[in-house]
Amino acid sequence: MKISHILPILGMVLFCQCHESYAEGAPADSQKPTEVPDKATDNNASKKALPKDAVPTEYTGYRLVWNDEFNVDGRPSDKWTYEQGFVRNNELQWYCPDNASVSDGLLVIEGRQQKVNNPDYNPQSTDWRYSRSEAQFTSSCLTTQKSFNFRYGRMEVRARIPVACGAWPAIWTLGNQGEWPQNGEIDIMEYYIKNGAPSILANACWGSDKRYTATWDESVTPFTHFKAKDADWESKFHIWRMDWDEHFIRLYLDDEMLNEVDLSKTHNQGVDGDHDNPFSNARDGFGHYILLNLAIGSNGGEPDLAHFPLRYEVDYVRVYQALK
């Protein structure tokens, strides 16, 4: 989720699916679960939340250090806080907490066609966040910025994402020290329009030699790649995973590795003298916090109102730490 609000809006496209706890690196032999209670074995199960008594997967060489299974109906737990208003990327939505709720074992982030007046409106402003008098859409962005961050480990999210035109769902992390992009960003999942086609992205970025300008290690997989394997892909839940140690970040979708980021190449490039590595360092208190959000418009394309409200469903978020 490119965080700079000065990034340009991508061109509209012709093709759409209008359709604190710090962990050390994991042992190399810990890729396979010792039990996989959440791997669906039939089409019907893959379209549902896990049972509320489902036990989180255990992995050899890891222990579970933080999770939210979203099993208590109502407002999301106090593990989460919320972004507010217009935030980044010239997106169309107004972020507010009301669009996030928990029901039937799922966190639901809803993108609505809903008008909201901008209390910070200033017609003289050249900043898009203030020059718009209102928003035409609302959504939510939940973060653990105030409650949890981690350094190294395994993060796993089971989710069902909206793929209609205009949808830009994401699972990502940001470093808790310094400004973007020197703090580092990891995009475990983004879905949006790229190279003229709906795509799933798995990225990381860090600081270049220019303020607010990132260097990217970007993986773009056309959505057709997944649809070719499963024509019913968008109706099912899928598992996104990050394995992160001091040497690599590896990003997976349903056990298919989409990107491997070599952390020997991710040092910041000198803004304010910063040549640190935002993914592999020994700074006191450093870690990444989690963000779950549904953006609308911008990279997501022109919203297809026939598919609103958009519904982004998250079954669980789990973070594991390597055993010492």
Side-chain angles (χ1 to χ4, degrees):
M1 176 63 69
K2 296 176 175 60
I3 195 170
S4 174
H5 63 267
I6 61 174
L7 290 177
I9 301 176
L10 295 184
M12 292 299 106
V13 297
L14 297 176
F15 174 61
C16 258
Q17 290 285 337
C18 293
H19 58 249
E20 248 106 326
S21 169
Y22 295 98
E24 298 304 320
D29 62 354
S30 61
Q31 299 305 307
K32 298 297 182 183
T34 57
E35 57 174 315
V36 192
D38 51 8
K39 298 286 186 180
T41 56
D42 62 80
N43 251 10
N44 194 44
S46 66
K47 296 180 181 181
K48 297 180 179 179
L50 296 181
K52 291 188 177 182
D53 59 355
V55 178
T57 309
E58 295 181 2
Y59 292 99
T60 302
Y62 285 98
R63 64 185 177 92
L64 185 69
V65 297
W66 187 95
N67 65 311
D68 197 334
E69 305 293 317
F70 303 111
N71 286 335
V72 179
D73 289 357
R75 292 295 299 271
S77 74
D78 57 9
K79 296 177 180 180
W80 304 95
T81 54
Y82 304 86
E83 293 188 337
Q84 297 271 359
F86 292 132
V87 180
R88 62 181 67 84
N89 299 325
N90 270 284
E91 295 157 2
L92 300 178
Q93 80 286 339
W94 184 267
Y95 278 138
C96 52
D98 291 346
N99 293 54
S101 62
V102 176
S103 61
D104 300 323
L106 298 172
L107 167 67
V108 180
I109 302 174
E110 196 168 79
R112 303 170 185 157
Q113 185 185 12
Q114 181 181 18
K115 188 177 294 187
V116 176
N117 291 328
N118 182 358
D120 300 317
Y121 174 56
N122 178 357
Q124 278 75 51
S125 178
T126 58
D127 187 322
W128 67 274
R129 296 171 298 174
Y130 309 118
S131 62
R132 296 176 181 176
S133 63
E134 60 186 21
Q136 301 295 323
F137 300 91
T138 60
S139 188
S140 282
C141 176
L142 294 78
T143 93
T144 66
Q145 185 175 15
K146 295 182 179 180
S147 64
F148 173 75
N149 62 79
F150 66 106
R151 184 206 315 262
Y152 309 144
R154 170 170 290 176
M155 177 176 159
E156 192 172 81
V157 179
R158 186 175 189 257
R160 177 163 54 192
I161 67 172
V163 297
C165 282
W168 184 356
I171 302 164
W172 51 308
T173 72
L174 284 171
N176 66 344
Q177 295 179 10
E179 67 181 18
W180 186 90
Q182 279 72 34
N183 59 337
E185 173 181 331
I186 306 168
D187 300 322
I188 299 165
M189 180 276 291
E190 293 187 276
Y191 171 92
Y192 65 77
I193 306 300
K194 185 75 175 181
N195 303 324
S199 302
I200 288 180
L201 293 89
N203 312 319
C205 79
W206 55 97
S208 70
D209 59 358
K210 183 179 179 181
R211 195 178 187 194
Y212 303 132
T213 302
T215 300
W216 288 91
D217 184 323
E218 185 177 69
S219 165
V220 181
T221 306
F223 187 48
T224 51
H225 168 79
F226 304 99
K227 289 284 286 183
K229 295 192 291 184
D230 183 355
D232 204 20
W233 192 96
E234 62 266 38
S235 72
K236 299 177 181 179
F237 285 86
H238 301 274
I239 295 177
W240 280 269
R241 188 177 93 234
M242 170 176 67
D243 286 346
W244 173 24
D245 61 30
E246 62 268 35
H247 303 296
F248 291 96
I249 294 169
R250 296 180 175 95
L251 303 173
Y252 300 82
L253 169 51
D254 292 334
D255 292 326
E256 177 182 352
M257 189 165 70
L258 301 184
N259 198 3
E260 180 179 72
V261 182
D262 182 348
L263 301 189
S264 69
K265 302 176 180 178
T266 60
H267 288 82
N268 292 325
Q269 296 171 26
V271 171
D272 294 332
D274 185 354
H275 294 276
D276 206 351
N277 192 320
F279 309 114
S280 182
N281 63 66
R283 294 206 304 265
D284 262 358
F286 180 82
H288 275 230
Y289 62 91
I290 301 165
L291 301 94
L292 305 173
N293 72 289
L294 173 58
I296 299 170
S298 188
N299 291 356
E302 184 69 24
D304 180 356
L305 301 183
H307 286 81
F308 277 71
L310 301 174
R311 187 177 170 94
Y312 175 18
E313 299 166 318
V314 181
D315 193 6
Y316 61 72
V317 181
R318 299 170 182 166
V319 178
Y320 299 82
Q321 180 178 45
L323 295 171
K324 295 182 180 180

